[in-house]
Amino acid sequence: FDAFAGVIKSGGKTRRAAKMVILNADHPDIVEFIDCKEVEERKAWALIEAGYEGGFNVPGGAYDSVYYQNANHSVRATDEFMTAVVEDRDWQTRAVVGGRVMDTQRARHLMRRIAEATWVCGDPGMQFDTTINDWHTCSNSARINASNPCSEYMFLDDTACNLASLNLMRFYDDERGFQIESFRHACEVVISAMEIIVDDASYPTPQIGENSHRFRPLGIGYANLGALLMARGLPYDSQAGRDVAAAITALMSGASYAQSARLAGVKGPFEGFEVNREPMLRVMRKHREAIRRIDPAYVPLELLQAAKRSWDEVLELGEAHGLRNSQISVLAPTGTIAFMMDCDTTGVEPDIALVKYKRLVGGGMIKIVNQTVPLALRRLGYETDQIRAIVEFIDENDTIEGAPHLREEHLPVFDCAFKPARGSRSIHYLGHLRMLSAAQPFISGAISKTINMPEESTVDEIQEAYIEGWRLGLKAVAVYRDNCKRSQPLSTRRGDGAAA
């Protein structure tokens, strides 16, 4: 299957396909699965050291010569497994057919192996099965077993999801702030359009087509959250930043589900709604209840009230008419489309760095400079001449640390995922996890996001990141340690060998 995915190219062009490979934590082959990509990564390192080309998509290159480069690997863990890890108890693997015990080992030992492999190559990630199915809107039809390759779409087997992401900065005005009504209206229009597309789309298999028409799952989302928070003068890793992100996410999904309920009043609910009425409305109440956890001290009152009203509408209209769509929202990675939309940041991510270098397929490199910094500095009260001097410093030094006029207390606003080549600051991994935890209760599916960790991070820290992600109620966690691979598409250095 890995070889097949290597032959299939996205859009029929040069970029490799991607697929998700998941194994349950109680599968007899779990240790081999955890280790397999690390073993291949070390082979690639040896080939690079022997002189083979280190870039991806290079025919005959190091990564073209080893297995599993077309797949994201994840371990599927239940609450039972994670509790066994925390309490350092035994864990048993079981035969897929019959369920007899095949092996017994310490759960914490397995988690350690996961963290060790992640330290080397970024795989495997983790998916938390119990949490995923607790938020499942159609559990009476079947359970959720897996996700798409980026882990944001989690639903019934043999279904597909139309995605659409809004650029949050298009709804932000430097003088008036976040444009709540424009954003709400955009969500309603986009959901209506996506709902129409369900019937007019083509699907790869008859089964996927049939299920997509029966359940009509959609995936509205956003990009540029990191830029929006920076423009507002809010650190990504702050309670204020998290509460604003939570309120925007709540409004997006609430307005979208409310529109879905209105459409159900005209067109009827999705075919599988009546069978799943109880779990569907139960999950809607869980979404609405989560708004109570947003601290109103950090969120504009109008924004929080709009989010609350939208979820009240969802329950009122949903109980009366049902819902037209079984799922409404995901937070996708938005890598390519974020470039097309001229976003500074992708999906729910902070910026990788204020200045970053991207190697291009086929050679060449571009320098990407964050364009939100002047907005943030103006919001924080800096004069035009001061802003110009700070921006010039960033362009020359690839960091804001040490810039003239910049006050120390404002540095956290400009913290990024990776430490700059000439700086020392970056967002702690707990900051990434807490942001995910703020947004997840308002997302139907899940969130595609990497927990970026600095190169000097330890295996223990990666292990704790996975455990903390589970404790915070996340559906999935992926970790990437900077420069752990010999090739990566984005870098904070001009000439460190990063490749697309």
Side-chain angles (χ1 to χ4, degrees), residues 41 136 142 162 215 224 275 302 329 422 441:
E41 180 69 26
H136 185 12
N162 295 312
F215 294 96
N224 234 3
V275 173
E302 186 184 359
S329 57
R422 298 183 187 180

Side-chain angles (χ1 to χ4, degrees), residues 443-459:
I443 294 293
S444 301
I447 306 172
S448 178
K449 182 188 176 345
T450 302
I451 309 303
N452 295 107
M453 299 179 70
E455 189 170 355
E456 61 270 20
S457 298
T458 66
V459 172

